[in-house]
Amino acid sequence: MNLPFDHANNVLDAAILGESSRGRPAVEAHDVTRTIGDRVLVDHVNVDVAIGEILAVTGPSGAGKSSFLRLVNRLDEPTAGKILIDGGDYREIDTSDLRRKVGMVMQSANLFPGSVRDNLSFGPAQSQQGLTEDEIDELLRRVGLEGYVNNDVNTLSGGEAQRVSFARTLANKPSILLLDEPTSALDEDSGRAIEELILKVVAEQQMTCIMVTHNASQAARLARRTMYMVRGRVVALGRTREVLDAHSVV
Ligand SMILES: Nc1ncnc2c1ncn2[C@@H]1O[C@H](COP(=O)(O)OP(=O)(O)OP(=O)(O)O)[C@@H](O)[C@H]1O
Ligand SMILES: [Mg+2]
């Protein structure tokens, strides 16, 4: 094809950023806004996330990153604008289906008292699906915790607890994974193990992932595109390196 240089470059950019011939994005935010009283937490956010893409979300404390993530799985609802999941307005999806489809892992593991098995079984039991022992073993293998099934969660290290938290989210077989600073409470090695896990599950299952992080090098390792937010607004959205170079990330 003989394209003018700029056009060729745009096509190349689009391909690199996952924006060409990708069909329908898994997540679309259209002018998504959330206000509480006169506070604007999220301000006209527009972004598409392609199937299989990892999008990093960064920006200063209080920028609205967590608030945005909570809107994507409908823990909160936009006060204006809309969110499409697989092309459809998510208000038309049954809430429990949406919860299964869109998994979330927070900064701290938030496991409930009991064994690793108890924590992994809970979600699937809610939806009457249940988990077989083999499925539990497989989940634990994937997060590198073989043999931990009967361990009391109180005895786990921070890194192990966070991996159980991942396994618990994966037990619901989500197609979209929302991560809110999933490694910020962990030491470097445990954080890297979680990063490996994210890359592995996203690649293996063609998952779509939105990851909030304050860690610029983590964003660079995991995400081709980064969205930079300030005071609820998207001030930059593009290649991770370019966005991070243009904005000093805290
Ligand atoms: N339920 C709420 N009611 C009122 N204001 C809120 C509420 N939740 C969050 N906020 C405010 O909205 C703004 C955005 O908060 P948010 O937690 O989304 O920021 P963040 O970018 O995730 O910050 P951090 O990097 O510190 O986690 C903050 O000013 C916060 O105080
Ligand atoms: Mg936050």
Side-chain angles (χ1 to χ4, degrees):
M1 221 177 344
N2 201 1
L3 294 167
F5 181 74
D6 277 353
H7 186 202
N9 242 8
N10 286 341
V11 170
L12 181 64
D13 271 359
I16 288 168
L17 298 177
E19 285 172 355
S20 87
S21 66
R22 65 182 185 181
R24 196 176 262 166
V27 179
E28 294 163 69
H30 291 287
D31 262 339
V32 165
T33 298
R34 179 165 169 84
T35 55
I36 298 182
D38 57 4
R39 281 199 77 108
V40 185
L41 276 58
V42 174
D43 197 355
H44 294 92
V45 167
N46 286 289
V47 64
D48 289 357
V49 193
I51 293 168
E53 179 180 6
I54 301 178
L55 174 77
V57 179
T58 192
S61 187
K65 305 180 296 293
S66 298
S67 301
F68 173 66
L69 223 51
R70 291 173 59 85
L71 293 175
V72 176
N73 74 342
R74 213 179 164 196
L75 280 175
D76 296 321
E77 281 203 18
T79 49
K82 64 180 174 181
I83 292 183
L84 307 189
I85 300 287
D86 295 335
D89 189 322
Y90 74 175
R91 286 170 291 203
E92 283 154 25
I93 305 174
D94 177 69
T95 313
S96 56
D97 288 346
L98 185 70
R99 290 274 174 278
R100 264 201 306 283
K101 208 176 184 59
V102 187
M104 186 145 170
V105 177
M106 311 277 210
Q107 189 170 6
S108 59
N110 288 323
L111 302 175
F112 57 77
S115 68
V116 168
R117 178 193 280 103
D118 295 337
N119 274 272
L120 295 191
S121 311
F122 182 75
Q126 294 295 97
S127 59
Q128 266 84 47
Q129 286 176 340
L131 273 185
T132 64
E133 285 296 307
D134 282 352
E135 285 171 324
I136 292 177
D137 288 347
E138 170 61 14
L139 280 168
L140 290 176
R141 192 191 58 70
R142 294 185 72 192
V143 300
L145 291 177
E146 297 95 328
Y148 277 63
V149 65
N150 291 314
N151 290 32
D152 189 311
V153 297
N154 282 326
T155 64
L156 302 175
S157 71
E160 288 166 347
Q162 192 63 322
R163 280 188 272 166
V164 172
S165 172
F166 254 91
R168 185 174 61 174
T169 298
L170 296 178
N172 289 321
K173 303 188 177 75
S175 55
I176 296 164
L177 193 57
L178 307 179
L179 308 173
D180 198 351
E181 305 191 46
T183 66
S184 62
L186 304 179
D187 62 34
E188 175 85 16
D189 284 350
S190 308
R192 288 297 191 107
I194 295 285
E195 286 183 13
E196 296 290 321
L197 182 60
I198 296 167
L199 285 172
K200 194 171 73 165
V201 297
V202 167
E204 278 175 8
Q205 296 176 23
Q206 273 290 290
M207 247 182 219
T208 301
C209 180
I210 305 179
M211 179 185 64
V212 172
T213 180
H214 276 111
N215 181 331
S217 41
Q218 178 171 72
R221 282 192 294 274
L222 298 189
R224 283 206 195 127
R225 286 197 312 158
T226 289
M227 175 165 106
Y228 188 81
M229 295 180 74
V230 178
R231 282 190 233 100
R233 297 208 184 123
V234 177
V235 297
L237 174 60
R239 284 170 196 266
T240 294
R241 190 36 65 207
E242 286 165 19
V243 169
L244 297 179
D245 283 349
H247 299 274
S248 56
V249 174
V250 281

